[in-house]
Amino acid sequence: MQKFFARNFAGYAFLTPWLIGFFLLSIGPILASFYLGFTKYNVVRPPQWIGLDNYAYMLQFDQRFWKALQVTFTFVVVSVPLKLIFALGVAMALDKGIRAIGWYRALFYLPSILGGSIAVAILWRQLFNYDGVINSALSLIGIDGPYWLSDPKFSLWTLVVLAVWQFGSPMLIFLAGLRAIPQELYEAAEIDAASPSKKFFAITVPLLAPVIFFNLVLQMIEAFKSFSGAFIISGGTGAPLDSLLFFTVYLYNEAFSFLRMGYASALAWVLLLIIALFTAIAFWTSKYWVHYENERG
């Protein structure tokens, strides 16, 4: 044992700052929130153990909890496929060997860097205000634009558009996947006079399936965690009429607006379980449509 530590001392010495941060800033808060989820805790007074009451109230009486789930699920189900389709379309366009490809990659990746920031959420709110740029452009062709942000029928869709606009990261991953597909397959399909759609569904999609699956899981998790856009555009309340009450916004309000830390901790664990469940379902279904190179022999 002494020889082991003597031989690896330098490595553990360099790892020590990371290990301290990992246990104090990650594992510690995770364990603390798990405990607080079974307590009534408002920061001012010590936590009071109440067992499963937080979870029972959440499931039986909290209507805003179910509304937050509805809004979040709608956002995930709509925005993730749209973003992946858009990202794949742009990646296929950029895979044609056009000039200045590096500039186009940087240009299309830029929204992914800026899209999650507070500044872009504020900019998005200004664009979709009733007197903003979008309605001004619509007025030029005689269309009276709606109240995008204050009408519950439209507010969520503005955030879906914002999410799709952040397509740069999956687009780059799709582009790398497309470059890995052997061109001989497309040349053989050309000889057989295969149509573009036939080549897409018979060659591109099957060979790109591992990349599609990776992007799907990654973007699904990101969509469940979406916060800044909904928080800024709704003023931190989920307005109008809770149409932007994302689960993360509701969790934030319970924790930091109403100081119900115990209940917020329970909400956080429910969100973790939901993400874990959907990720597990994605992995389970992947065996039916994702095939890897080593499986093809």
Side-chain angles (χ1 to χ4, degrees), residues 11 94 96 100 119 191 203 213 232 285-286:
L94 293 180
K96 301 299 183 184
I191 294 173
I203 300 175
F213 173 67
I232 294 298
T285 59
S286 69

Side-chain angles (χ1 to χ4, degrees), residues 1-10 12:
M1 184 64 73
Q2 289 180 344
K3 288 182 179 179
F4 174 81
F5 280 110
R7 188 169 58 248
N8 299 286
F9 176 77
Y12 283 107

